[in-house]
Amino acid sequence: MSVPGSPTPALAQPLLARPFWPTMGLAVAAAAFLVAHSVLHATAVDELLLVLVALTALVAGHGLMRNRARRVAAEQAAARAREELTLQARVGDCEQRRQSLAAFAKLASHVAHEVRNPLSSIMLNTELLEEEAAKCGCESAPEATALIGSIKKEAERLQHLTDEYLAFARPPRPAAAHQSLNAVVEELAHLVREEARRSGITVETRLSHGCPCALIDPHQVKQAALNLVRNAMQAMPDGGRLTISTDVAADGTVALSVDDTGPGIPEELRCLILEPFFTSKPQGTGLGLPLAAHIVRDHGGELDFGPAPGGSGTRFTITLPASRSESGPCACAPRLPAPAGAAEP
C-alpha cells in the first residue's frame, strides 16, 4: 500500500548512482584479459599469478554484490518501517476522528430529543396566543402580535435546527431503488427555481443523454443535492447562475454536479467545510454539507468539490457507482415544465 510522500519509489536511486557496475565490469574485464594473456604468452609461474589475480577480482566483485544487496535490503526495510509508521499515524487520526464524530452524534441526538417535546409545546401555545391576539381589540394587540410572531419565527428556526441534528446523528438507512439521476435533478430544479428567481439566481439543468442510473434512495440523494444547492445559493447573495448537471463516466460511475458563480471557497477553509458544526454563515448550523457527505457515503459514493469550470465559483460533485437493473436500463423521466419566467438551459 503506497502513501503519498513515501520515500519507497526513490529507494534505488542513490544505490544505482554509486560506481558499482563500472567497478564490477572493470574487474570482470581485467580477469578475462589476464586469463587470455596467460594462456597465450605467460610462463607457468605467470599463469599461476595471473589466475590468482583474476580469482581475487572475482571474489572482490562477489563481495561488492553482497554488500549492495544488504544495503538495498536495509534501505527497503527502513522505508517499509517509515511507511508503516505513517499508516499507523493516519489510522490513529481516523479512529480519533471517528470517535469524536460518534460522541458528537450521540450528544446531538440526546439534545435534540430533549428539546423536541418542549419545543413542540412552545410552538403550539404560540399559535394559540397568536389567534387570541388576533381576536383582541385592544390597542396593544398589534404589538403583541408582532412579539408573538418573533417568538414563532425563532421557535421554527430552533425546530429546523433540531431536525438537522437528528438527521446528522441518526440518518435513516437508504431505501435503495434503481433510479435515474436525471429524474432527481428535474425534481430538484423544479423545487428551487421560484426561490432562486426571487434571489436573482438563474437555474440551469444540463442532463446527460446517457441516462445516468444508480441504486439509490432518491429522497435521500435529493436531500443531499438540495443541501448543496442551498449552499450554492447562499454563496450568491447578489444573484448569479446555478447549474445542476449529470454525467456518465467511462469508468462506470455516474455524477451529479452543482455549480455556482459565487466567489469560491477560500483556500484556508477548504479543509474545514465538510467538518460538522463548522459554518461561515451567521445563521448556519454547519450540518448541511456534512449531512450531504454522510448520505453520499452511505450510498457508496464520494462528495468532492473544487473550482467550477471557467474559474469562477465552486463545483460540488456527487459521484455514485452506476447500476443496471435486471430488467434493463431505467427510464429517464421526462422534463418537468418550468414555472413561467424561469430560465431554461
Side-chain angles (χ1 to χ4, degrees):
M1 182 175 181
S2 61
V3 177
S6 172
T8 304
L11 267 179
Q13 297 300 325
L15 293 172
L16 294 177
R18 294 168 184 162
F20 166 72
W21 290 114
T23 302
M24 187 63 187
L26 183 60
V28 173
F33 174 77
L34 291 174
V35 170
H37 180 78
S38 67
V39 171
L40 296 176
H41 304 288
T43 63
V45 176
D46 292 337
E47 288 178 3
L48 180 59
L49 180 61
L50 293 174
V51 168
L52 290 175
V53 171
L55 290 176
T56 303
L58 291 175
V59 170
H62 179 69
L64 286 173
M65 291 181 66
R66 293 186 62 182
N67 289 337
R68 179 180 182 273
R70 282 196 293 267
R71 287 196 298 270
V72 170
E75 291 193 16
Q76 288 179 343
R80 284 194 296 269
R82 288 193 294 270
E83 185 174 331
E84 289 177 1
L85 289 175
T86 301
L87 289 176
Q88 289 176 2
R90 292 188 178 184
V91 169
D93 291 342
C94 290
E95 179 62 19
Q96 185 177 4
R97 173 180 167 79
R98 187 194 67 78
Q99 292 178 358
S100 297
L101 289 178
F104 273 126
K106 186 175 181 180
L107 177 62
S109 177
H110 178 73
V111 171
H113 277 295
E114 291 296 323
V115 169
R116 214 172 191 186
N117 289 336
L119 183 60
S120 298
S121 178
I122 291 172
M123 293 183 67
L124 176 61
N125 285 283
T126 301
E127 291 177 358
L128 294 175
L129 280 174
E130 192 174 30
E131 293 176 1
E132 292 298 324
K135 296 176 183 177
C136 179
C138 56
E139 296 180 359
S140 59
E143 183 179 357
T145 302
L147 291 173
I148 294 171
S150 178
I151 295 172
K152 185 178 179 181
K153 181 180 178 181
E154 292 302 314
E156 289 174 349
R157 190 171 74 87
L158 189 56
Q159 179 71 47
H160 175 70
L161 180 64
T162 56
D163 289 343
E164 281 202 339
Y165 270 58
L166 280 174
F168 177 76
R170 291 191 303 176
R173 296 180 64 85
H178 194 61
Q179 181 75 28
S180 166
L181 289 186
N182 285 355
V184 174
V185 169
E186 287 285 12
E187 293 179 10
L188 180 61
H190 192 72
L191 176 66
V192 302
R193 267 198 175 103
E194 181 60 26
E195 179 184 352
R197 185 187 64 80
R198 293 195 215 103
S199 300
I201 297 173
T202 302
V203 177
E204 297 180 359
T205 58
R206 297 176 182 174
L207 306 181
S208 170
H209 295 295
C211 193
C213 298
L215 193 63
I216 59 173
D217 184 324
H219 300 293
Q220 288 193 20
V221 171
K222 185 169 73 172
Q223 179 62 51
L226 179 60
N227 289 355
L228 301 182
V229 167
R230 300 280 190 209
N231 186 74
M233 292 171 62
Q234 291 169 2
M236 300 183 288
D238 300 324
R241 185 177 67 257
L242 174 69
T243 305
I244 314 173
S245 57
T246 59
D247 193 18
V248 181
D251 62 355
T253 60
V254 296
L256 187 159
S257 299
V258 177
D259 298 0
D260 65 63
T261 55
I265 302 172
E267 187 66 32
E268 63 272 13
L269 300 184
R270 289 180 181 271
C271 60
L272 297 174
I273 63 171
L274 294 181
E275 292 290 331
F277 311 108
F278 172 80
T279 179
S280 59
K281 305 175 183 68
Q283 300 296 327
T285 63
L287 291 176
L289 292 179
L291 180 57
H294 196 113
I295 291 173
V296 172
R297 283 195 299 270
D298 280 352
H299 284 77
E302 295 181 357
L303 175 62
D304 298 314
F305 64 92
S312 175
T314 304
R315 163 174 284 188
F316 279 86
T317 301
I318 296 173
T319 305
L320 298 165
S323 172
R324 292 291 176 185
S325 66
E326 295 180 357
S327 59
C330 64
C332 288
R335 299 169 68 85
L336 295 173
E344 289 292 331

